[in-house]
């Protein structure tokens, strides 16, 4: 799924599009673009709702096209960019159009399944796709992989663990790979008791000890669902069986991923917990950039710790493995239920432990046995699983339970 060594490097400047430009990964991408003067030209930028932030980025990076997912912001965006010559559009289709425009590389950094159609638009024109948006690969699974193969697109993993394994594979080769290790920081609740976790507030869940990220993935890191989604992501990217993907809690977050080869060698990729490192790797692939990102000081770090994840306090990891083993619609349902539950938790409508409980309920429903035949089928199942989970939340609220 991921590429081997190509015969030639990039031709600078490289033309790129950033989907989800106003988010955490999108901004980190544009930080690098600003630092690497003359290396990149921006074809298109997209955002969800934050009109002013998107307009400010457009004024700085001068893309040809800007798209806002929320149609309600169209008039304001047009006004803010009047006189710049930048083409402006809004609505879901406009985001898809941004991805379809002729950029050599597309950074897919929308959060959630909302990124599936735009990311596929880039895949379908055979682009280099720097993939941060793990939910689209989790949700559409084999169908997404088939699209990548059919259109000769290239997936460059941006998720730090997968990027680490991708880099390690350059030193060992996919043929000799035995298994991989994905590291997890353990999140803010690594040392909390189950009772304390049950009372955790959104604010506490958002206080991640090592990474600064968007709200959804930060909550996923607190439940360890993020690592569960990453197991499914790794399965598709590296064509590995679920049992060949190990998860180890590593609180320092400096070893991001490890490839174990058939001769017993382990190749790990290390670096400070800064997304600009995997993003830089993907942006310049198969070359490398010279960045100003902080270097890791091993003596300051002093030690590396590893521990097993606790299955009792973090059931999400088991649920993701079960969904991957079950196949069919289960990963789609897992992802959809999780997106709805995380949003409800952030709005204070459910408790922290309800997130995994709601995902488990959705996986136990008949929906998980559905077999989506195409991408439209995936999106329809995603919508059904969302409705199912919303109904469970409403029912629990009606009965007074949390
Ligand atoms: P974020 O919430 O900070 O940003 C999300 C972006 O998507 C924003 O630009 C937002 O406007 C846009 N968006 C939201 N809803 C949209 C919609 N319906 N249509 C179009 N655009 C929409 O999220 P993030 O932390 O940058 O994460 C982005 C993706 O990258 C996620 O899939 C996440 O799992 C993955 N990822 C993030 C990190 C990280 O460090 N933040 C690390 C690894 C992987
Ligand atoms: Mg990750």
């Amino acid at each position: 799924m991921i590429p081997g060594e190509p015969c030639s490097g990039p031709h600078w400047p490289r033309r790129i599009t950033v989907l989800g430009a106003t988010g955490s990964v999108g901004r980190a991408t544009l930080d690098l673009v600003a630092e690497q003067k003359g290396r990149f030209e921006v074809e298109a930028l997209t955002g969800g709702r934050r009109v002013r932030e998107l307009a400010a980025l457009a004024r700085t990076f001068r893309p040809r096209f800007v798209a806002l997912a929320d149609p309600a912001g169209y008039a304001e965006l047009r006004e803010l960019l009047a006189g710049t010559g930048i083409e402006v559009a809004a609505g879901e289709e406009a985001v898809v159009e941004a991805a379809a425009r002729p950029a050599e590389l597309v950074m897919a950094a929308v959060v959630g399944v909302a990124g599936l159609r735009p990311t596929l638009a880039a895949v379908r024109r055979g682009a280099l796709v720097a993939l941060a948006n793990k939910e689209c690969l989790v949700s559409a699974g084999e169908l997404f992989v088939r699209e990548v193969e059919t259109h000769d697109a290239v997936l460059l993993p941006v998720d730090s663990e997968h990027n680490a394994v991708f880099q390690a594979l350059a030193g060992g080769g996919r043929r000799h790979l035995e298994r991989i290790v994905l590291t997890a920081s353990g999140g803010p609740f690594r040392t909390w008791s189950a009772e304390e976790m049950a009372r955790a507030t959104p604010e506490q869940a958002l206080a991640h000890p090592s990474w600064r990220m968007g709200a959804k993935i930060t909550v996923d890191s607190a439940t360890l669902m993020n690592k569960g989604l990453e197991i499914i992501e790794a399965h598709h990217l590296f064509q590995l069986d679920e049992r060949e993907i190990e998860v180890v809690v590593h609180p320092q977050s400096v070893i991001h991923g490890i490839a174990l080869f058939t001769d017993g060698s382990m190749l790990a990729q290390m670096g400070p917990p800064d997304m600009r490192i995997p993003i830089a790797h993907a942006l310049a692939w198969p070359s490398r950039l010279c960045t100003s990102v902080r270097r890791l000081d091993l003596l300051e770090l002093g030690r590396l710790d590893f521990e097993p994840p606790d299955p009792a306090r973090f059931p999400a990891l088991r649920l993701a493995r079960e969904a991957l083993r079950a196949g069919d619609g289960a990963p789609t349902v897992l992802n959809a239920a999780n997106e709805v539950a995380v949003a409800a938790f952030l709005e204070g409508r459910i408790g922290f432990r309800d997130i995994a409980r709601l995902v488990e309920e959705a996986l136990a429903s008949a929906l998980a046995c559905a077999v989506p035949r195409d991408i439209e089928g995936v999106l329809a199942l995603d919508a059904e699983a969302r409705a199912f989970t919303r109904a469970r939340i409403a029912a629990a609220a009606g009965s007074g339970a949390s």
Side-chain angles (χ1 to χ4, degrees):
M1 181 48 35
I2 50 129
E5 277 304 302
C7 16
S8 65
H11 300 288
W12 307 111
R14 180 170 256 180
R15 182 158 278 276
I16 68 164
T17 283
V18 184
L19 307 175
T22 54
S24 163
V25 170
R27 283 181 171 279
T29 303
L30 291 171
D31 275 358
L32 286 164
V33 168
E35 182 183 90
Q36 307 289 320
K37 296 216 178 331
R39 292 254 159 175
F40 298 99
E41 285 172 359
V42 182
E43 173 67 27
L45 294 179
T46 79
R49 290 167 171 268
R50 292 182 224 144
V51 186
R52 282 165 191 281
E53 286 176 40
L54 185 61
L57 291 173
R59 284 194 171 266
T60 305
F61 292 95
R62 295 283 159 169
R64 290 187 180 145
F65 183 76
V66 170
L68 187 76
D70 178 11
Y74 176 66
E76 189 181 356
L77 185 63
R78 211 181 48 176
E79 200 170 302
L80 288 167
L81 294 177
T84 59
I86 299 170
E87 202 181 325
V88 172
E92 273 181 38
E93 288 314 313
V95 178
V96 174
E97 187 189 334
R101 292 175 69 108
E104 185 192 0
L105 183 143
V106 174
M107 169 59 71
V110 169
V111 60
V113 142
L116 179 56
R117 289 180 60 246
T119 306
L120 274 174
V123 163
R124 285 173 177 159
R125 59 176 185 78
L128 296 178
V129 177
L131 188 73
N133 180 205
K134 67 192 85 180
E135 294 93 342
C136 73
L137 187 52
V138 169
S139 187
E142 276 84 23
L143 291 166
F144 186 93
V145 168
R146 207 178 303 154
E147 294 270 357
V148 172
E149 284 166 353
T150 307
H151 297 94
D152 273 335
V154 172
L155 283 189
L156 302 169
V158 170
D159 209 350
S160 57
E161 299 76 4
H162 306 72
N163 181 269
V165 171
F166 178 38
Q167 295 201 40
L169 286 178
R174 173 65 188 84
R175 227 158 31 98
H176 306 292
L177 185 65
E178 192 170 288
R179 61 188 162 87
I180 63 170
V181 182
L182 306 178
T183 57
S185 67
F189 305 144
R190 183 174 62 88
T191 58
W192 287 33
S193 70
E195 294 69 35
E196 287 170 324
M197 286 169 71
R199 291 191 300 271
T201 64
E203 200 187 9
Q204 290 167 322
L206 289 173
H208 196 281
S210 43
W211 293 95
R212 293 284 155 270
M213 310 179 286
K216 192 261 177 184
I217 184 176
T218 306
V219 175
D220 284 347
S221 300
T223 58
L224 284 199
M225 181 58 89
N226 183 48
K227 220 44 57 177
L229 299 177
E230 289 182 0
I231 292 171
I232 303 176
E233 182 186 14
H235 159 80
H236 293 298
L237 284 173
F238 306 116
Q239 305 289 303
L240 290 168
D241 187 83
E242 176 257 323
R243 282 161 307 196
E244 296 165 336
I245 306 165
E246 190 183 339
V247 168
V248 170
V249 174
H250 165 47
Q252 290 91 354
S253 302
V254 300
I255 292 187
H256 303 297
I258 304 169
L260 170 68
F261 295 96
T262 46
D263 59 3
S265 284
M266 287 176 116
L267 292 187
Q269 185 263 355
M270 299 173 71
D274 185 330
M275 281 305 290
R276 286 176 299 175
I277 296 175
I279 293 171
H281 181 258
L283 284 182
W285 184 87
S287 185
R288 284 190 188 261
L289 300 175
C290 182
T291 73
S292 64
V293 177
R294 180 174 71 84
R295 273 41 173 170
L296 192 61
D297 182 333
L298 291 177
L299 293 178
E300 188 188 313
L301 179 68
R303 55 186 272 183
L304 298 173
D305 294 305
F306 303 98
E307 59 193 45
D310 176 358
R313 286 182 304 131
F314 298 102
L317 213 47
R318 167 182 57 83
L319 295 174
R321 285 197 186 274
E322 284 173 6
L324 177 53
R325 278 201 297 270
D328 296 339
T332 312
V333 169
L334 169 101
N335 181 70
N338 183 57
E339 284 194 33
V340 169
V342 169
F345 170 71
L346 285 170
E347 288 163 10
R349 291 191 287 119
I350 62 170
F352 183 73
R353 285 207 301 199
D354 296 328
I355 300 174
R357 181 182 55 76
L358 286 160
V359 172
E360 185 147 30
E361 284 177 10
L363 282 177
S365 76
L367 289 172
C369 303
V371 187
R373 251 179 263 148
D374 51 23
I375 297 293
E376 293 313 312
V378 169
L379 291 170
L381 180 58
D382 172 82
E384 280 188 78
R386 279 167 196 271
F388 175 88
T389 303
R390 283 198 193 101
R392 303 296 292 195
I393 294 170
S399 72
S402 78

